[in-house]
Amino acid sequence: AVFTRQPPPMPEQVLVDFDHHRLAALQAGDRRYPALVLLLGWPLSRAVWQPVIEPLAADHHVLAFDLPGIAQSASPIQAPTRKAEIAQLVLDAAQAAGARDITIAGVDVGGMIAFAAARDFADRIRGAVIMNTVIPGLDPWRQVLTDERVWHFAFHLIRGLPEKLVTGHERVYFDYFIDTLSAHPEKIDDALRRQFVLGYTATGALKTGFGWYRAMPADARHNSRHQPIDTPILYLRGDADRRPIAPYVDGLKAVGASDVRGSVIKGSGELPSIEAPKALIACLREFTASLPAMNS
């Protein structure tokens, strides 16, 4: 479509209602633009994307969702925790919000969901961006599980105990992850940290977050079954992690992905949207610009 480019509007909070579900999002950009769906990870809320939404909205219809069961996406219906089920729900919400030519991008657990979209719903997206995560069932999954830095994967698998220990102490617990996994924890200010905590004080939200981990063994069994994946995938890691990127890219290729690109974001740890927003924006723009439009 040809139309006069206008300055992107400020992000607005929207509630997307569809099929007895409601997902909350920050939205910006013209709906005639290709859509960019941004997904959070543990222990984040959609606020993690605030520094990049407005710049990206200059040429994308941007939707930054709270995942089902988190913050204003909380629902009396039990939120799904298996990543393919979340991917389907998020894509349904995005299309209900008017999204077209969708690229889905996620950090941490959100990256696992982006992979699920590429694997299981390829006909609904143009591309997928996976950031700072290992995909359950794909190399180097088993190796990562032995790393002491991901001790919480095993802890969160224990049913009921994490909820009892963390409830009322969310800020201390969440700050541990932010400070440990960030290259520049000082960039994640108090206001943003409080928004993260607020997202998990909704009824059932903390259980939903732990449920993402409890579903990972099932995710791993599902993902490890080889099948052709034609969806273009961009895999990103912050350089502060110090793990080489090649095993993650190779793991995606080994399970059937035919178009996988990898890039390292300098000066960033787990949260590139806050630690290195300009570099992340450049990576996302370069990737989405390379993707063909979907058949209407």
Side-chain angles (χ1 to χ4, degrees):
V2 178
F3 56 95
T4 303
R5 188 180 297 276
Q6 300 292 331
M10 294 292 290
E12 60 173 343
Q13 298 187 48
V14 296
L15 296 174
V16 184
D17 292 299
F18 62 102
D19 295 337
H20 308 292
H21 293 280
R22 167 175 285 184
L23 293 191
L26 290 173
Q27 177 177 254
D30 196 301
R31 285 180 174 83
R32 291 172 291 180
Y33 288 136
L36 183 57
V37 173
L38 303 175
L39 302 181
L40 57 91
W42 170 265
L44 311 173
S45 74
R46 66 181 188 238
V48 73
W49 301 111
Q50 286 175 335
V52 301
I53 291 176
E54 189 174 351
L56 288 170
D59 45 15
H60 295 87
H61 173 203
V62 183
L63 287 159
F65 282 102
D66 277 325
L67 295 184
I70 302 300
Q72 289 179 284
S73 292
S75 168
I77 300 173
Q78 179 62 44
T81 54
R82 292 186 62 170
K83 310 311 170 289
E85 294 175 358
I86 301 173
Q88 183 176 18
L89 202 58
V90 166
L91 290 172
D92 287 347
Q95 291 178 326
R100 52 177 291 274
D101 282 351
I102 296 172
T103 299
I104 187 167
V107 64
D108 187 73
V109 169
M112 300 178 187
I113 298 165
F115 171 76
R119 183 189 188 280
D120 297 314
F121 304 101
D123 60 332
R124 301 181 66 179
I125 65 172
R126 297 170 70 208
V129 183
I130 302 167
M131 295 178 246
N132 286 306
T133 196
V134 62
I135 304 301
L138 277 61
D139 288 339
W141 172 246
R142 294 185 181 276
Q143 179 182 349
V144 169
L145 290 182
T146 66
D147 191 322
E148 62 182 13
R149 289 174 292 182
V150 295
W151 59 270
H152 59 288
F153 278 51
F155 175 56
H156 292 177
L157 282 174
I158 304 170
R159 294 190 180 275
L161 182 61
E163 288 91 329
K164 293 178 180 178
L165 296 179
V166 175
T167 299
H169 305 283
E170 292 90 346
R171 176 62 187 265
V172 174
Y173 195 59
F174 290 5
D175 277 353
Y176 166 82
F177 292 102
I178 293 166
D179 293 339
T180 301
L181 299 175
S182 301
H184 299 284
E186 72 280 359
K187 292 185 177 181
I188 299 91
D189 62 23
D190 179 71
L192 188 54
R193 291 169 188 251
R194 283 190 280 108
Q195 288 188 64
F196 293 162
V197 170
L198 187 62
Y200 292 81
T201 56
T203 301
L206 199 57
K207 181 179 180 180
T208 295
F210 295 136
W212 298 333
Y213 293 85
R214 293 165 189 164
M216 286 180 190
D219 294 331
R221 291 190 294 272
H222 179 73
N223 293 338
S224 61
R225 294 195 292 267
H226 186 283
Q227 73 172 41
I229 302 172
D230 296 328
T231 306
I233 296 173
L234 173 63
Y235 186 88
L236 299 175
R237 288 196 80 81
D239 65 350
D241 180 85
R242 301 192 182 280
R243 294 185 183 98
I245 193 173
Y248 296 87
V249 172
D250 292 343
L252 289 162
K253 293 178 179 178
V255 81
S258 60
D259 183 353
V260 186
R261 315 162 199 188
S263 185
V264 175
I265 297 181
K266 295 181 179 179
S268 179
E270 188 81 2
L271 305 179
S273 59
I274 299 172
E275 299 179 79
K278 290 183 179 179
L280 176 60
I281 290 166
C283 286
L284 293 175
R285 280 216 173 102
E286 180 181 7
F287 179 63
T288 58
S290 73
L291 302 175
M294 297 181 67
N295 294 327
S296 56

